[in-house]
Amino acid sequence: MNNNNMQYTYTKKRLQFGRQCNFTNYCKVEADIKPNAGYTNHYIQIDPVTQGTQCSKIYSVHEVNTNTATFRDSSIYHSEGGWPKDLNAKDVEQTVRYKRKIEKDELYIHTMLQLLPPMEQCILQNNACNIYEQYFSYMEPVSLIQRVYSRTVNVYRDILPIKRQITHLSWSPDQGNRFAASYCNTDFKNIINDNPQSYIWDVENPNMPCMILKPFCPILTLEYNPKDSNILTSGLMTGQVACWDIRKGSEPVETSLVKFSHRDLCNEVLWINSKTGTEFFSASKDGQIMWWDIRKLQMPTETLVIDLCKTDDQNVNKAIGISALQFEPSMGTRFMCGLENGIVISGNRKGKTASEKIATRFKAQYGPVISLERNPTFVKNFLTVGDWTTRIWSEDCRESCIAWTPGHRDFLMGGAWSITRFSVFFLIKMDGTLDVWDLLIQQDSPVLSVKVCDEVLTYIKPHEQGQLAAITNKKGTTFLLEFSDALTINQKNDKLLFTALLDRETRREKVKEAKNREQKLKMKSLRNTNFETECATGNTKNYEDNPKCLNSNTNNAVLIHCEEDYDNAIKAVSLKELLKEEGISNGTA
């Protein structure tokens, strides 16, 4: 056997060598001795010579190994009390019996008096805490006053030289990565030079639209199918509706026939909740609502004429134009529409007659209802925008709104609720300003007012995640705005507070309605009394000549009473000012 080939390697971990030696280039001058010129004569040169000099002390080679500290993880099981081994701590009767035995001992009180002070000290130490310590590192501290702000993320401009107004905008259902905007020149003087194309934009690419839609006439409204991001429906300037499938090209797949379509511009289109996901309904200024199915789009499946006369005969010539349309998927067959005369209709498609379908009415605005939208969380409450004010309504109060904004100097062009924070809604105005209202913070003024641009804003559509909102203007530009967390995230008690706010305002309006009805009954009884008195005296000529004289006499009585109160108030104020002036003049005199 050859033992020279046998080798064994001894290994040792670096941590067992002790502290590591780190050498550095370091030079230190201990003494600087200058040469003495007197020693030159005694210097003798020896050539050749070799001599070595060692300035430091000579040490022998040695090694030192330090002891390595070893650690071991161990666990301990803590159970209640120090029970004896022969006692079953899980048995309640045995533990109670043992406690009574210990408490009856004479030394029990003295022992407790000795153990209580150190135990109390330990408890107080455990209760002491550092108020500046961040115990939950995964949670970011929230400031007491949250900052409210917004910033413009992207700007999407019309690629055509002739700028057109954006009339509608819709987010795609696939997490809102795209949005479709309908471009239409509503100025009929320049409609000859109008290009009918509209665009689908990618949120991340504001330079060029990802797809151009090419209809045969301008599109007034364009809406994504909530179940399929490739299907869109639109309302055209000719009153027709069209269906789009972006997988098949940039032209409409199918268009309704002119004779079965609207007589005026089709300005509102919304998808409804159906099993097939192919049904939608449209509205127009001609006062008709039509339900469609994209599988058979030549003619509508149902038509409803908004004729407010109390007759079952639907007369299109007497219909009121529809300026806003709303549908909540969670409410089945119910829908809402805003009219050009300021009335909001809450309808039900299941009604047997036309009068039953449009039975509920709200006198919402003094002019056309520009925007109409239900609160995403509190669906019984809806928002109406028109003329110079915005009103919030409840379906339980039909005669008056429960909240409203003060009158604005500039005309309101639209509004919308926030998708995530239910107490926030947005308003766009003619001067290019965006107002953000939060009813939980303040009700008399907006919490944020942003000057978006110098042009007229035309439409606003918040993103489904709530942090973004797309705002369009009259020059064909879309602004994508991002809002702070204070305007998008609900706090812990916000839902309870907003519910209490709505309930309180609803009860207040109900009380006012009850008082108004009571006043009307009193006036009616007074009118009947006056009529009976006239009949007894034989002076009924006024009532025979004018059948509406009863109402006129009652109204005249009310007006006379109001005028008297007004005159008395003016006289009281004038007398007070006169006495004040006389008092001042006497004092100075």
Side-chain angles (χ1 to χ4, degrees), residues 206-218:
N207 299 322
M208 186 64 63
C210 61
M211 188 171 186
I212 300 177
L213 302 179
K214 299 178 181 179
F216 60 90
C217 70

Side-chain angles (χ1 to χ4, degrees), residues 353-367:
T353 61
S355 58
E356 292 180 359
K357 293 181 180 179
I358 56 174
T360 307
R361 305 177 187 179
F362 301 87
K363 181 58 181 176
Q365 306 292 148
Y366 293 103

Side-chain angles (χ1 to χ4, degrees), residues 172-174 224-232 245 247 271 277:
S172 62
D174 51 351
Y224 267 105
N225 189 325
K227 296 182 179 180
D228 190 352
S229 60
N230 297 314
I231 305 297
L232 296 95
D245 191 344
R247 296 168 296 188
W271 293 90

Side-chain angles (χ1 to χ4, degrees), residues 111 190 218 275 338:
T111 306
N190 300 326
K275 295 181 179 179

